[in-house]
Structure formats: C-alpha cells, structure tokens
Amino acid sequence: MAQLKYTPHTPRAARPRPATRLLAPLLAAALAAPAGAQTTRPVDAVDLGRYLVRTAGCNDCHSPGYAQQGGHTPESSWLTGDGLGWRGPWGTSYAANLRLLVAGLGEDQWLQHVRTMRPRPPMPWYDLQAMSEADLRAIYRYVRQLGPAGQAAPAYQPPGTPVAGPVVQFPGAP
C-alpha cells in the first residue's frame, strides 16, 4: 500500500489529519455526557457497590419501575424487589427484594450464597458469579448501607399456575 505524503497539492480528502481533529468528536461526546454520569470506577466500597448495581443491570429487574422509567427512580426504592413476573417454561419467577435478603446475611454468607445459587430464569446468576470477590463485597456493602425496605417479592409459581399481576412472557423452547 502506498503511503500518502502531504504536499500543498495533495487533495484535501487525502491529507493526513492531525490527531486533534480525530479526537475532537470523541472529546465533544465526552463533554456532552449527562452531568453526574459516572466515568471512572469508584474506589470506596459503598460507592463501587452503587456503581456496580447500576451498571450491571441489577436495578432493571430488582427495582420496581426502574427500566420502565429509564432509570429515573429514587435510590430509596432500589433493590426492593418487584411484582412483575417472568413467565416461561420454568413457571413464573419474580425478582427478589435484595435489601431484605442481604439484611439477613453476613458478608461471607452473601459470598457463599452468590457463588452457589442457581435461581430460575431470567436471573443471570452466571454473570454475578463471574464478578470478583471485591466487587461482590462492594455490592453487599452498598445494599447493606441502603438498609432493609419493602416487602418480599411474590413467591415462585410452577408452570401452568395462574398469577395475579403483570408478567413478561418468554417463549417456550424451540
């Protein structure tokens, strides 16, 4: 491949672009990020736990109305479980109230629980188990700091059992 060399007669489109011209769109995008957007990984355990809960998608299922409101729910309602059912071939499952769960566990018990749990779909337990011990401890400390709140989520219902309330219906196996 021939390398282009800049001369005053080189067509404008073929001229090398200074790095600042290439980086300008990236800089503009970074400056346009919403105020308060987290751009670095926090060091403090509680702040790191908050960051992980938000970025790992925990709130999407475990905080009522979070996904439907585009993440604009008060932190005071985060991780209190939800009455929205997730129905599929496994039956109907519900996102647990993590604040009540964590209130009943010590930190090492939490780690053991996460490392061995196999909840029903759609909980991505395998993603949680892939997290580092430090990240899991940070999540525990954040949820513990929030304190217990809310009610327990509805109990699992076996396949074919009618449920009260809304459900997200998953298709059966192909």
Side-chain angles (χ1 to χ4, degrees):
M1 176 181 213
Q3 186 165 357
L4 293 176
K5 187 171 181 178
Y6 175 75
T7 68
H9 304 293
T10 304
R12 184 173 187 82
R15 293 181 192 169
R17 298 177 76 179
T20 53
R21 288 188 60 199
L22 293 173
L23 295 176
L26 294 174
L27 181 58
L31 293 174
Q38 185 79 43
T39 57
T40 59
R41 185 177 167 95
V43 176
D44 174 76
V46 171
D47 291 338
L48 176 59
R50 179 184 294 110
Y51 170 80
L52 291 168
V53 161
R54 177 172 251 164
T55 59
C58 304
N59 283 319
D60 294 348
C61 295
H62 292 276
S63 299
Y66 187 87
Q68 298 91 321
Q69 296 171 28
H72 297 290
T73 58
E75 192 172 4
S76 61
S77 69
W78 285 15
L79 309 178
T80 56
D82 201 347
L84 176 64
W86 301 88
R87 180 183 292 166
W90 62 88
T92 304
S93 54
Y94 296 88
N97 181 328
L98 298 178
R99 290 169 66 170
L100 295 180
L101 173 70
V102 166
L105 298 174
E107 193 167 321
D108 289 335
Q109 290 173 310
W110 159 255
L111 291 173
Q112 180 66 22
H113 173 74
V114 169
R115 295 291 186 218
T116 60
M117 71 177 181
R118 294 289 189 276
R120 292 177 182 88
M123 175 61 195
W125 53 268
Y126 36 84
D127 290 336
L128 197 60
Q129 290 177 354
M131 288 184 166
S132 70
E133 182 175 318
D135 285 352
L136 293 173
R137 287 184 185 279
I139 290 172
Y140 174 86
R141 291 174 188 171
Y142 170 66
V143 178
R144 230 4 222 234
Q145 175 262 302
L146 284 173
Q151 303 298 317
Y156 159 77
Q157 296 298 314
T161 305
V163 296
V167 297
V168 174
Q169 180 69 49
F170 283 79

